[in-house]
């Protein structure tokens, strides 16, 4: 029997310095795909304008039922798309945390895609996206947790984010961009395993918990990886720039 999953539609907006990263919403909404209107379907609304950019639904494959593993979208030339498998345009590429998503990524799909094989996938996966908005093309990512029960394979989509700057890259798994005009070279993101990575040149980086209590101050000249005590949301400050990072 296929499991039924219930999802909370979280609406999270980050405006952190000039990181230009916004977290979107995963949940039910409306979408137009190739002229067909779908209402109250499950999908991703990257820019929180009330309209889904991608629909997520069930796909019955030869190896079992893949729930919320079929992605469909209103594709046009240079418009909405997913990062595809390099060998097959209608298979989704499974990315890892830290993968850069930009104009060089393999956006080769034509309106729908699914996963070739989720049975051997890691528990947490990332998918890269390209979104066409009024001001241009934007890059984003979404995260899902793979759950299996017999032949049933379920994707629990838990987070998504996009770079609000047109044509600017984004790093999968982090709500922090790779460019910042206030503090050049300042980048902070999660690596998984409760690890936090900070990249900056010859600066003090202060780490705070979500309540604003300082936990550590470290001198950085290049790349520093820190093991955090537990998963959760942290604040990283370098100079006058503060960024939020969800460590997992």
């Amino acid at each position: 029997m296929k499991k039924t999953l219930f999802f909370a539609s979280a609406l999270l907006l980050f405006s952190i310095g000039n990181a230009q990263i916004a977290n979107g919403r995963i949940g039910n909404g409306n979408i137009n795909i190739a002229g067909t209107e779908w209402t109250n379907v499950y999908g991703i609304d990257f820019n929180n304008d009330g309209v889904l950019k991608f629909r997520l639904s069930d796909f019955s494959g030869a190896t079992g039922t893949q729930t919320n593993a079929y992605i469909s979208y209103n594709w046009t030339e240079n418009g909405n798309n997913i990062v595809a498998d390099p060998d097959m345009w209608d298979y989704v590429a499974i990315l890892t945390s830290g993968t850069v998503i930009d104009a060089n990524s393999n956006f080769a799909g034509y309106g729908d895609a699914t996963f070739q094989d989720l049975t051997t996938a890691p528990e947490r996966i990332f998918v890269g996206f390209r979104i066409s908005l009024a001001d241009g093309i934007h890059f984003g990512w979404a995260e899902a947790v793979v759950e299996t029960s017999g032949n049933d394979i379920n994707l629990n989509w838990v987070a998504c984010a996009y770079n609000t700057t047109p044509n600017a890259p984004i790093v999968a798994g982090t709500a922090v961009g790779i460019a910042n005009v206030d503090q050049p070279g300042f980048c902070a993101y999660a690596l998984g395993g409760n690890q936090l990575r900070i990249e900056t040149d010859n600066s003090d980086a202060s780490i705070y918990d979500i309540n604003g209590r300082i936990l550590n101050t470290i001198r950085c000249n290049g790349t520093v990886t820190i093991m955090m005590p537990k998963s959760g949301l942290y604040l990283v400050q370098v100079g006058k720039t503060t960024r939020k990072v969800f460590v997992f």
Side-chain angles (χ1 to χ4, degrees):
M1 175 180 290
K2 189 190 306 179
K3 291 193 295 183
T4 300
L5 300 178
F6 296 92
F7 301 88
S9 298
L11 179 60
L12 300 173
L13 286 177
F14 290 156
S15 178
I16 311 161
N18 287 289
Q20 305 297 328
I21 303 299
N23 280 15
R25 181 180 67 88
I26 300 177
N28 284 12
N30 304 331
I31 188 173
N32 182 302
I33 301 176
T36 300
E37 292 286 346
W38 298 86
T39 60
N40 195 32
V41 293
Y42 182 67
I44 305 175
D45 177 11
F46 276 98
N47 66 331
N48 298 287
D49 66 352
V51 179
L52 300 179
K53 307 302 179 294
F54 297 86
R55 182 188 180 190
L56 306 170
S57 59
D58 292 1
F59 172 74
S60 295
T63 58
T65 299
Q66 299 183 5
T67 303
N68 297 321
Y70 180 75
I71 303 175
S72 53
Y73 50 94
N74 193 25
W75 174 85
T76 56
E77 188 67 34
N78 295 321
N80 293 353
N81 219 318
I82 54 96
V83 177
D85 185 281
D87 297 321
M88 185 67 69
W89 68 263
D90 57 351
Y91 284 145
V92 180
I94 297 177
L95 308 181
T96 58
S97 177
T99 301
V100 175
I101 302 160
D102 59 14
N104 295 316
S105 300
N106 186 39
F107 293 105
Y110 291 92
D112 57 14
T114 188
F115 293 81
Q116 182 178 20
D117 187 3
L118 282 174
T119 58
T120 58
E123 182 184 5
R124 304 172 76 96
I125 66 171
F126 293 87
V127 176
F129 293 88
R130 185 177 72 192
I131 309 105
S132 178
L133 301 178
D135 60 345
I137 296 297
H138 299 257
F139 300 108
W141 56 265
E143 178 187 3
V145 177
V146 181
E147 300 173 342
T148 58
S149 177
N151 286 333
D152 289 349
I153 305 164
N154 304 276
L155 281 185
N156 182 356
W157 296 86
V158 297
C160 63
Y162 83 107
N163 195 321
T164 61
T165 302
N167 300 311
I170 191 171
V171 177
T174 176
V176 176
I178 64 173
N180 186 278
V181 297
D182 286 346
Q183 189 72 39
F186 171 30
C187 185
Y189 52 92
L191 292 176
N194 289 349
Q195 296 181 89
L196 171 64
R197 174 162 291 177
I198 302 172
E199 298 177 3
T200 189
D201 294 329
N202 198 28
S203 300
D204 287 334
S206 297
I207 305 169
Y208 301 81
D209 66 17
I210 193 59
N211 296 313
R213 293 188 294 263
I214 190 166
L215 302 177
N216 203 348
T217 297
I218 298 176
R219 189 69 177 179
C220 298
N221 190 13
T223 300
V224 176
T225 302
I226 306 164
M227 180 67 70
M228 303 306 294
K230 61 180 181 180
S231 62
L233 195 61
Y234 293 90
L235 309 177
V236 181
Q237 183 177 41
V238 174
K240 296 181 179 180
T241 303
T242 302
R243 295 180 176 163
K244 292 180 181 179
V245 181
F246 185 81
V247 173
F248 57 89

